[in-house]
């Protein structure tokens, strides 16, 4: 088997289709089909099966995909280490990012500084909820990911802290309070923003022994802000995820939770010993920039 076959296998599995993988890789669909067929013949197993809903991995395909991604990750690390030894900066850095906190407030400045430091590194960014970033790390789809700390399954690097706040419509009775309890947020309809730390918010209510009246679930923070601003629901969000002050009309207000809830954000990798030089350089840069905030 070759690394090219493993890369094609990985892309077909990720995109759930031969045609989409061919477009992503810039090769013909027949080349993708040939590579998968040759890999299956060499391994003596079927990697994919077709259903009415589309292409899916077989059980052994799921298992071998983890091995393939690990091998591709190590090969990429070797290539970048060799390039660095020649005084070059080449390769790819794959970053997982969640919510506006990372994607809007943190990542742009980091990418700008990293581009100046390593202009030859191609950066790929996958965005999704925090739970997706954790899964991408396990699957080795990304080299490094923004996470909410603590995370016991990964090696982590702390970046900064912010706090969780109650998000209220302007003029709501709770706006008169200096801080808001989780119990008080259970009396109105609630919108759960799944763009960032949804699991953290749910665990906060569970730990407090109360249950919010979840009427809405939103995959985008902008939808959450608009729903709250209209007075349709309350929410709990991370302070760092909100637009900067003055970015829009004060149609909603925030109040600290009582008691206060701090949120720690960091970067995570599976194994720093196997991380590429580009990955380690990005982590060092990110920590340095966050220390200056």
């Amino acid at each position: 088997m070759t690394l090219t076959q493993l890369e094609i296998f990985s892309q077909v599995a990720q995109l759930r289709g031969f045609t989409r993988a061919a477009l992503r890789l810039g090769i013909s669909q027949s080349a993708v089909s040939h590579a998968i067929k040759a890999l299956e013949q060499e391994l003596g197993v079927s990697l994919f099966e077709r259903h009415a809903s589309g292409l899916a991995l077989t059980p052994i395909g799921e298992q071998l995909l983890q091995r393939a991604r690990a091998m591709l990750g190590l090969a990429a690390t070797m290539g970048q280490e060799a390039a660095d030894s020649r005084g070059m900066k080449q390769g790819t850095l794959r970053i997982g990012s969640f919510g506006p906190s990372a994607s809007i407030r943190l990542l742009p400045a980091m990418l700008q500084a990293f581009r100046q430091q390593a202009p030859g590194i191609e950066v790929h960014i996958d965005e999704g909820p925090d739970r997706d970033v954790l899964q991408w790390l396990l699957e080795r789809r990304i080299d490094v990911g923004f996470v909410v700390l603590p995370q016991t399954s990964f090696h982590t690097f702390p970046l900064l802290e912010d706090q969780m706040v109650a998000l209220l419509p302007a003029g709501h009775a709770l706006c008169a309070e200096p801080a808001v309890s989780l119990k008080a947020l259970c009396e109105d309809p609630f919108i759960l923003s799944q763009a960032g730390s949804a699991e953290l918010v749910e665990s906060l209510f569970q730990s407090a022994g109360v249950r919010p009246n979840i009427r809405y679930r939103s995959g985008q923070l902008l939808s959450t802000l608009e729903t709250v601003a209209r007075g349709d629901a309350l929410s709990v969000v991370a302070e760092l995820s909100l637009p900067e002050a003055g970015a829009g009309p004060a149609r909603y207000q925030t109040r600290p939770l009582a008691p206060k809830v701090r949120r720690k954000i960091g970067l995570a990798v599976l194994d720093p010993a196997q991380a590429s030089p580009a990955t380690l350089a990005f982590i060092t840069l990110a920590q340095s920039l966050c220390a200056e905030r």
Side-chain angles (χ1 to χ4, degrees):
M1 72 184 69
T2 66
L3 289 174
T4 298
Q5 289 176 319
L6 295 181
E7 176 63 22
I8 292 174
F9 170 44
S10 176
Q11 290 296 329
V12 172
Q14 177 181 341
L15 300 173
R16 301 294 182 182
F18 283 33
T19 301
R20 288 189 290 273
L23 290 172
R24 171 73 65 84
L25 294 167
I27 59 178
S28 67
Q29 182 176 338
S30 62
V32 171
S33 300
H34 178 76
I36 296 299
K37 182 177 180 180
L39 187 59
E40 289 179 325
Q41 290 177 339
E42 182 175 351
L43 295 173
V45 297
S46 294
L47 298 173
F48 297 97
E49 52 190 15
R50 285 180 170 81
H51 301 287
S53 58
L55 198 66
L57 284 163
T58 62
I60 186 60
E62 291 275 7
Q63 181 178 336
L64 294 179
L65 178 62
Q66 309 308 315
R67 303 293 188 189
R69 285 174 171 161
M71 294 170 69
L72 289 169
L74 289 174
T77 298
M78 290 175 62
Q80 290 181 16
E81 287 177 341
D84 282 356
S85 73
R86 302 192 301 270
M88 301 169 64
K89 291 290 184 182
Q90 297 177 345
T92 302
L93 174 63
R94 303 168 299 170
I95 303 172
S97 180
F98 71 88
S101 299
S103 297
I104 297 177
R105 298 292 289 273
L106 299 179
L107 198 51
M110 293 176 181
L111 292 178
Q112 184 179 37
F114 187 72
R115 189 183 309 114
Q116 296 174 352
Q117 179 177 315
I121 298 296
E122 183 178 333
V123 179
H124 297 177
I125 301 170
D126 285 326
E127 296 179 282
D130 49 354
R131 67 176 67 91
D132 285 358
V133 175
L134 299 177
Q135 185 63 32
W136 295 337
L137 281 166
L138 289 172
E139 294 175 353
R140 299 180 184 269
R141 282 176 53 180
I142 57 176
D143 302 305
V144 60
F146 286 89
V147 297
V148 176
L149 302 178
Q151 295 291 340
T152 58
S153 300
F154 308 97
H155 192 96
T156 58
F157 304 84
L159 294 178
L160 78 170
E161 288 188 8
D162 67 345
Q163 67 175 336
M164 305 301 292
V165 295
L167 188 65
L168 312 168
H172 192 279
L174 290 176
C175 292
E177 303 295 329
V180 178
S181 69
L182 291 172
K183 183 178 180 180
L185 294 173
C186 297
E187 298 177 5
D188 290 71
F190 191 89
I191 178 169
L192 180 65
S193 176
Q194 297 178 301
S197 304
E199 291 185 348
L200 174 59
V201 173
E202 290 179 305
S203 69
L204 290 178
F205 283 99
Q206 185 175 4
S207 298
V210 295
R211 180 179 297 179
N213 178 20
I214 298 179
R215 192 75 59 81
Y216 309 97
R217 295 177 184 268
S218 171
Q220 297 291 332
L221 180 68
L222 289 177
S223 300
T224 301
L225 295 178
E226 181 59 28
T227 301
V228 172
R230 290 198 310 265
D232 293 339
L234 313 182
S235 191
V236 172
V237 298
E239 192 170 44
L240 193 61
S241 70
L242 295 171
E244 296 186 34
R251 300 173 59 213
Y252 56 82
Q253 294 187 22
T254 63
R255 291 293 182 273
L257 295 177
K260 285 188 176 182
V261 177
R262 304 294 296 177
R263 182 185 70 155
K264 298 181 179 180
I265 297 177
L267 290 170
V269 297
L270 268 180
D271 182 358
Q274 296 183 5
S276 69
T279 300
L280 298 177
F282 178 79
I283 292 171
T284 299
L285 176 64
Q287 288 186 306
S288 176
L289 290 177
C290 286
E292 297 173 359
R293 288 179 65 94

